[in-house]
Amino acid sequence: MLHQPARRGQCVAACSTEAERLGIVEGMPLAEATALAGKSRPASTRSSQLHLEPHDPQADRTALQKLAQWCHQYSPTVGLEQAEQPQTIWLSATGMEKAFGSEQEHLQQIQRGLSRLRLVGRLALADTIGAAWGLAHCGEKDPWAESFRPGEWDRPIVVPGGQTRQALQPLPLSALRLPLDIVEMFLHLGIYHVGALLALPRTELEARFGPLLIKRIDQACGDRAEVIEPIPTPQEVTAERLFEYPLTQSDVIRGSLEQLVQQVAAALEARGDGALEITCRFGCYRAKDEALRIGLFQPTAEARHLQELFDLHLERLRLVGAVESIKLQVTRQAPLPWQQQQLFQQEASLTEMSQLATLVDRLASRLGRHAVMQCHLQSDPQPEQAYREEPLLSGGKRFSKQSRPSQQAPLARPLQLLRQPVRLGDVATTATAAPQGFHYQGCEYRVARHWGPERIQTGWWRRRSIERDYYQVETETGQRFWLFQQLPRGTWFLHGTFA
Amino acid sequence: MPGLLAPSSSSAVDAQRQTIAALRQQLQASSLEWEAERVSTGCPALDQILPGNGFRRGSLVEWYAADPGSGANILALIAARQACQSTGKLIVVDRRRTFYPPAAVAWGLSLQNMIVLAPRNDRDAAWAFDQAMRCTGVSAVLAWPEQIEGTTFRRLQLAAETSGVLGLFVRPAAAQHEPSWAETRCCVSPRASRAGWRLHVQVIHNRLQGHRHGIELEIDPHTGQIGRANHCTLASQLADSTPGGHAA
């Protein structure tokens, strides 16, 4: 839950879906919300489940602006809602069906893009900004869908042209972006939906409720123009060279690329930015174009460093045709880190960080972005799922989140875990089903002592649930292994070694 | 017979002065070795048998695992933990994709300061190891190279000396007969025990030490403390480890 200052104390600014199910709503006093959350859970889990943070409107706005910049790949005109705390991004869809195939495909691509960013957005397409806002915020179902399922609120809504007024009819009054006091007045009068409001005499509405109400109705229905105030388009840094004759000599290609890299680096440095991602596209004569993509650990405008990374990629690149053009495009950039002149220890640590960033860039260029990873623990009983690997150049937080301390004893888990457990042949067992001896890699091992079983079981809702009895065994020669018996079949596997 | 304390001629005096100057130079050179920053192995008992009570930063250490499940990885990992302390970066070159981070966290390492590399072939793994060893922003590198060519090994040693990175290799026991540029080489073999987990560590080579040293260590399974065998805590002695074991 996010909380913010209210007239008396703190109140809920936003909460998760799980919190909503407990009855917590926006505007509720924080003490009441905390009490509701505490009642619903066992005492042992309360403190670990409830997560409170203060609401930071400025951070929200900054994040939304960044997302709006990202949306430029879907529309040339992107704007932010004009409000104190904007929650909506406008995209102009005029003429976009030619670029994306159809309006539905346009919206689906935006939704897929948001999914990749782990965001859920409510999308609506209509003739007017007002109607699109209302449908996105308040539309629960798409009435034009051939089949829809209640609760499918994240499905894009597309209103065919000329049917805006009809689409607005069933929406609640809040869909018209009206102040809360006006909405409450209409609710008091028994008017709940936009359709009922539109049926009322217009002159009386203006006289009673002021010009804002009429303005919103006209904007939603298309009787009054409303335009998107576009946010500035990020200026792309690109450099391109077209060759008079297609080239095949690698040293000439490399030399041309080097000149383009210097141009790009100079352009970035001039605006105080550094590249985080650069795409290089080789246009090949009568063959498929080849593209390279370089990710960087921290923004850089150093031509030499960028060229080194390209050289690492070029070593492995096989061009199938002669090159007739090279284009460099900075697809992600950020302000260059400002490094104050420091003395002694701090200066050394800045240099070390810079060296580390260079190392990460080189490793990712040669090994691949997905081969340079940072690991994070996950709360999952299945050993293989107890952690996840994230590429260090994925654009997420780096070295920023302190890993929670382990609650396991040091020898509870082996330092080497096989990716695929190895099935063991005949495993001798005791009367209590503990392992007594097994064969592995051509050797026979006799168990001197064991610890277990430790039952690890995953839920039935998992596609492949597991039920395993794990044993840590020490052989007569002192070697330690981690075995498990898969239930209910009873097959034995070796999963790790305490090497 | 003329001796050092009773020179009989000026030429003999000059010769003695030169000898003394040469000896002083050697002493100064060896004191620089000793003054180089040392990293504890993570086990005080093991520190005591190493010159300078630990590994020298900017050196290579080889651990030879006598058998699978021998415990060599644990000793290498806690040495890496000591080298990195709270903020140093550890690079793990996981060519075989068997490194298990949750177990490393249980031994006190921080995933926040760890980068795991997954090279697709041995050549890329060797290149990655070399690059990591040259980076002054790295405190330690942990890898499991099965084979290292002589020239590559020498290059790694020079890279370590320049950058100050501690390189920790865990290799199969057969590799101990191959030429090595590691400053310290230890062979780890497990031993049967009734209490904690017992390991025998044989320091088969240390550049500053002429002879071999061995020590029996015992790992307390509950606390992870590693001490000299027969000096472990009462708790681990009382831990039930008989056949039939105990439930987790």
Side-chain angles (χ1 to χ4, degrees):
Chain A
M1 286 190 292
L2 300 180
H3 57 88
Q4 64 187 4
R7 200 181 298 174
R8 286 184 190 175
Q10 296 279 318
C11 71
V12 176
C15 59
S16 64
T17 316
E18 287 84 359
E20 282 178 356
R21 287 197 202 111
L22 299 174
I24 297 171
V25 295
E26 287 179 26
M28 178 182 275
L30 184 63
E32 190 180 332
T34 314
L36 273 175
K39 269 187 205 170
S40 66
R41 295 185 182 274
S44 59
T45 60
R46 265 176 225 164
S47 59
S48 63
Q49 295 294 332
L50 188 60
H51 187 77
L52 289 171
E53 277 197 28
H55 178 222
D56 187 349
Q58 187 53 41
D60 277 354
R61 178 181 276 275
T62 306
L64 198 65
Q65 281 170 340
K66 206 172 161 186
L67 187 62
Q69 294 285 357
W70 173 86
C71 288
H72 269 290
Q73 60 189 296
Y74 300 109
S75 173
T77 308
V78 178
L80 272 189
E81 179 184 6
Q82 298 296 313
E84 197 177 313
Q85 292 187 20
Q87 295 182 350
T88 313
I89 296 175
W90 307 116
L91 283 84
S92 170
T94 307
M96 289 292 104
E97 62 271 14
K98 289 179 187 171
F100 291 91
S102 67
E103 290 172 339
Q104 196 65 253
E105 180 58 29
H106 186 195
L107 291 182
Q108 281 173 4
Q109 282 207 23
I110 297 172
Q111 201 161 49
R112 282 197 289 268
L114 290 172
S115 295
R116 281 194 293 271
L117 296 176
R118 295 186 188 166
L119 295 172
V120 177
R122 304 177 69 163
L123 309 179
L125 179 68
D127 287 340
T128 65
I129 291 174
W133 191 100
L135 288 161
H137 283 257
C138 307
E140 287 187 358
K141 51 193 176 185
D142 177 6
W144 280 266
E146 288 181 5
S147 62
F148 66 88
R149 277 168 280 176
E152 227 180 35
W153 60 272
D154 52 349
R155 187 174 170 165
I157 300 172
V158 179
V159 176
Q163 299 186 18
T164 304
R165 195 175 275 263
Q166 192 180 349
L168 288 169
Q169 299 279 335
L171 297 182
L173 295 177
S174 52
L176 293 177
R177 296 178 287 172
L178 296 172
L180 192 59
D181 55 341
I182 296 181
V183 173
E184 283 177 349
M185 269 195 269
F186 279 112
L187 293 177
H188 186 69
L189 294 171
I191 295 168
Y192 303 106
H193 301 290
V194 173
L197 181 64
L198 293 179
L200 296 174
R202 215 179 135 87
T203 47
E204 285 188 24
L205 284 176
E206 188 168 2
R208 256 200 186 181
F209 299 99
L212 179 62
L213 174 62
I214 299 299
K215 178 182 171 186
R216 289 300 191 209
I217 291 173
D218 287 346
Q219 284 175 336
C221 297
D223 298 327
R224 188 183 298 212
E226 189 178 8
V227 295
I228 298 173
E229 287 192 28
I231 54 172
T233 313
Q235 290 175 352
E236 268 188 355
V237 175
T238 60
E240 189 174 7
R241 175 158 298 173
L242 302 171
F243 303 111
E244 197 176 342
Y245 299 101
L247 301 175
T248 53
Q249 300 95 322
S250 57
D251 53 342
V252 177
I253 294 171
R254 188 197 169 278
S256 301
L257 178 61
E258 192 171 352
Q259 289 173 0
L260 293 176
V261 166
Q262 285 170 357
Q263 281 178 34
V264 161
L268 285 168
E269 197 167 343
R271 59 172 72 184
D273 282 345
L276 281 173
E277 190 176 82
I278 302 182
T279 303
C280 174
R281 188 170 293 276
F282 294 95
C284 295
Y285 177 67
R286 289 187 181 176
K288 190 181 166 191
D289 290 355
E290 293 284 348
L292 299 175
R293 193 168 63 168
I294 285 173
L296 291 118
F297 186 66
Q298 67 181 30
T300 183
E302 280 187 37
R304 185 181 55 82
H305 179 48
L306 294 172
Q307 186 59 41
E308 271 178 6
L309 300 180
F310 275 115
D311 286 342
L312 287 167
H313 277 272
L314 286 175
E315 282 175 10
R316 293 177 298 164
L317 182 65
R318 294 285 177 265
L319 294 166
V320 294
V323 173
E324 53 184 9
S325 68
I326 305 177
K327 182 178 178 183
L328 281 188
Q329 185 180 8
V330 179
T331 46
R332 261 196 321 136
Q333 60 198 52
L336 279 170
W338 176 66
Q339 292 180 3
Q340 193 174 10
Q341 291 297 320
Q342 300 284 351
L343 296 175
F344 310 124
Q345 233 175 2
Q346 286 167 317
E347 184 175 335
S349 68
L350 282 171
T351 306
E352 285 170 3
M353 271 309 292
S354 170
Q355 292 278 335
L356 187 66
T358 305
L359 172 68
V360 170
D361 293 342
R362 291 174 63 81
L363 290 170
S365 289
R366 166 96 179 227
L367 305 179
R369 291 160 67 115
H370 294 277
V372 183
M373 300 167 289
Q374 196 172 25
C375 299
H376 303 273
L377 291 183
Q378 294 194 133
S379 184
D380 195 304
Q382 190 172 348
E384 305 95 302
Q385 307 294 331
Y387 72 104
R388 71 175 193 279
E389 293 166 333
E390 276 186 11
L392 210 49
L393 296 186
S394 63
K397 291 183 182 176
R398 302 157 187 162
F399 302 136
S400 57
K401 194 172 179 183
Q402 182 70 35
S403 54
R404 54 188 169 83
S406 173
Q407 295 172 352
Q408 290 179 332
L411 283 178
R413 291 290 181 267
L415 271 175
Q416 290 207 314
L417 194 79
L418 302 177
R419 287 266 146 170
Q420 287 294 331
V422 171
R423 184 168 174 171
L424 298 173
D426 294 327
V427 174
T429 55
T430 64
T432 55
Q436 256 186 332
F438 60 96
H439 288 263
Y440 175 59
Q441 289 185 339
C443 298
E444 184 179 349
Y445 296 98
R446 298 187 67 82
V447 175
R449 26 179 204 163
H450 71 270
W451 293 263
E454 180 189 353
R455 173 72 57 96
I456 291 180
Q457 197 172 3
T458 57
W460 57 266
W461 53 89
R462 286 246 186 121
R463 196 174 290 181
R464 291 180 67 180
S465 63
I466 62 153
E467 191 177 354
R468 300 170 180 167
D469 276 345
Y470 276 89
Y471 292 84
Q472 188 183 136
V473 304
E474 183 177 299
T475 66
E476 288 176 345
T477 48
Q479 292 157 269
R480 289 202 174 191
F481 299 90
W482 208 39
L483 313 182
F484 71 82
Q485 188 179 30
Q486 186 159 288
L487 303 171
R489 282 189 182 179
T491 320
W492 284 92
F493 291 84
L494 183 139
H495 204 174
T497 58
F498 293 81
Chain B
M1 186 175 6
L4 281 174
L5 297 178
S8 59
S9 66
S10 59
S11 61
V13 169
D14 290 337
Q16 285 167 11
R17 282 183 184 154
Q18 283 174 9
T19 305
I20 291 168
L23 284 170
R24 277 188 182 147
Q25 274 184 358
Q26 283 183 22
L27 275 172
Q28 280 174 359
S30 62
S31 72
L32 283 174
E33 297 267 6
W34 287 91
E35 285 166 7
E37 193 184 345
R38 294 271 157 181
V39 172
S40 165
T41 62
C43 170
L46 187 55
D47 288 342
Q48 285 171 8
I49 66 169
L50 291 173
N53 293 333
F55 301 129
R56 186 174 62 86
R57 275 199 196 273
S59 69
L60 302 178
V61 180
E62 273 189 300
W63 302 90
Y64 301 110
D67 304 290
S70 67
N73 275 344
I74 292 174
L75 296 179
L77 196 77
I78 61 170
R81 182 189 67 196
Q82 295 301 117
C84 297
Q85 292 295 326
S86 55
T87 55
K89 299 292 182 280
L90 171 66
I91 307 285
V92 178
V93 185
D94 187 16
R95 166 79 179 96
R96 301 291 165 215
R97 306 295 283 127
T98 55
F99 178 66
Y100 191 50
V105 172
W107 281 101
L109 268 88
S110 167
L111 295 184
Q112 180 192 2
N113 295 327
M114 188 190 299
I115 299 175
V116 178
L117 307 181
R120 280 168 294 202
N121 53 58
D122 291 338
R123 194 173 162 199
D124 279 351
W127 176 88
F129 198 13
D130 179 77
Q131 292 295 308
M133 290 298 301
R134 293 173 188 280
C135 178
T136 55
V138 171
S139 296
V141 179
L142 177 62
W144 294 264
E146 295 199 0
Q147 285 183 339
I148 311 178
E149 289 178 3
T151 47
T152 306
F153 219 141
R154 175 62 172 153
R155 211 165 50 231
L156 290 173
Q157 186 236 343
L158 293 172
E161 289 195 351
T162 307
S163 62
V165 177
L166 180 65
L168 300 156
F169 304 171
V170 182
R171 303 185 67 198
Q176 61 182 295
H177 305 295
E178 294 173 11
S180 170
W181 287 94
E183 181 164 301
T184 310
R185 299 161 65 199
C186 304
C187 195
V188 183
S189 49
R191 293 284 188 267
S193 170
R194 292 180 64 83
W197 190 15
R198 190 168 289 200
L199 305 176
H200 178 78
V201 180
Q202 180 84 15
V203 181
I204 61 176
H205 172 79
N206 184 284
R207 196 155 61 90
L208 301 177
Q209 209 173 46
H211 47 277
R212 294 186 169 206
H213 267 107
I215 187 170
E216 294 257 327
L217 301 175
E218 196 153 290
I219 304 178
D220 186 314
H222 305 287
T223 62
Q225 277 185 344
I226 305 179
R228 193 183 288 265
N230 298 326
H231 287 253
C232 54
T233 61
L234 185 61
S236 59
Q237 286 182 353
L238 294 175
D240 183 3
S241 59
T242 56
H246 50 73

